[in-house]
Amino acid sequence: MNEDERPEPPLDGDEAATLLGFLEFQRATLAWKCAGLDAGGLNATVGASAMTLGGLLKHLAYVEDDWFVHCLLGEDRPAPWAGVDWAADRDWEWHSAAGDDPSDLRRLWQSSVDRARRITTEVLHERGLGAAAARPWADGRRPTLRWILCHMIEEYARHNGHADLLRESVDGATGE
């Protein structure tokens, strides 16, 4: 994938199409920044940070499943998240990525994205952007699908900034 293959958000779409367009653009940016790298590239760090592109892929796979499967639908987290001792390592997805095969990391992330897309389509069709999450927060509030989509755009945009620096440190590749 290159910069030109990322889907541009619609300039005249309705609210749902615009939100989904921006989320898909951010997802494609992460895929572009991680494309073609071997384990060394996906495990490279910058400066004092331990963050890696492989860690980003696994973290964002977790975030996709956590928000769309666990929070929005109220279901148990799918594998591999269900078997993790989060009390022992709150950042397990970041730490464990270093031992994962690059193609497995890409498949895990893509599977989580595909699942989130399917859930979003179903919930949007059945209940719209105002659909409240099945699983409430500790204070009883329930974010809506609209809020989750905006949060996911923010999550990807923030981490894509990290991905820019990491990718440039690996092979000099730069771009939006």
Side-chain angles (χ1 to χ4, degrees), residues 17-28:
T18 301
L19 289 170
L20 293 171
F22 273 94
L23 180 54
E24 290 302 330
F25 179 83
Q26 294 298 330
R27 286 172 172 159

Side-chain angles (χ1 to χ4, degrees), residues 4-47:
D4 296 332
E5 294 174 358
R6 294 178 297 160
E8 284 292 328
L11 295 175
D12 60 349
D14 63 16
E15 184 181 13
T18 301
L19 289 170
L20 293 171
F22 273 94
L23 180 54
E24 290 302 330
F25 179 83
Q26 294 298 330
R27 286 172 172 159
T29 299
L30 180 68
W32 169 46
K33 294 295 177 178
C34 296
L37 294 177
D38 62 9
L42 289 179
N43 286 315
T45 61
V46 175

Side-chain angles (χ1 to χ4, degrees), residues 40-156:
L42 289 179
N43 286 315
T45 61
V46 175
S49 176
M51 189 178 293
T52 66
L53 287 167
L56 279 172
L57 281 171
K58 198 164 188 176
H59 170 70
L60 287 166
Y62 170 73
V63 169
E64 294 272 3
D65 282 332
D66 193 54
W67 280 109
F68 291 99
V69 176
H70 188 67
C71 185
L72 186 60
L73 294 184
E75 296 177 1
D76 291 338
R77 291 178 182 98
W81 325 119
V84 174
D85 183 356
W86 295 104
D89 186 356
R90 288 189 47 199
D91 293 323
W92 175 83
E93 77 277 24
W94 290 98
H95 300 142
S96 64
D100 294 339
D101 180 86
S103 59
D104 291 340
L105 285 171
R106 288 184 186 95
R107 272 194 298 275
L108 176 66
W109 175 75
Q110 190 62 61
S111 175
S112 295
V113 166
D114 291 345
R115 193 169 21 259
R117 284 180 181 139
R118 187 178 64 255
I119 291 166
T120 299
T121 299
E122 291 169 6
V123 171
L124 191 56
H125 176 73
E126 293 170 6
R127 299 186 284 144
L129 287 169
R135 189 176 303 275
W137 289 345
D139 65 5
R141 293 181 301 155
R142 296 174 189 264
T144 63
L145 175 58
R146 178 183 293 104
W147 188 96
I148 292 169
L149 291 172
C150 287
H151 176 71
M152 291 299 295
I153 293 166
E154 180 272 334
E155 184 84 14
Y156 271 96

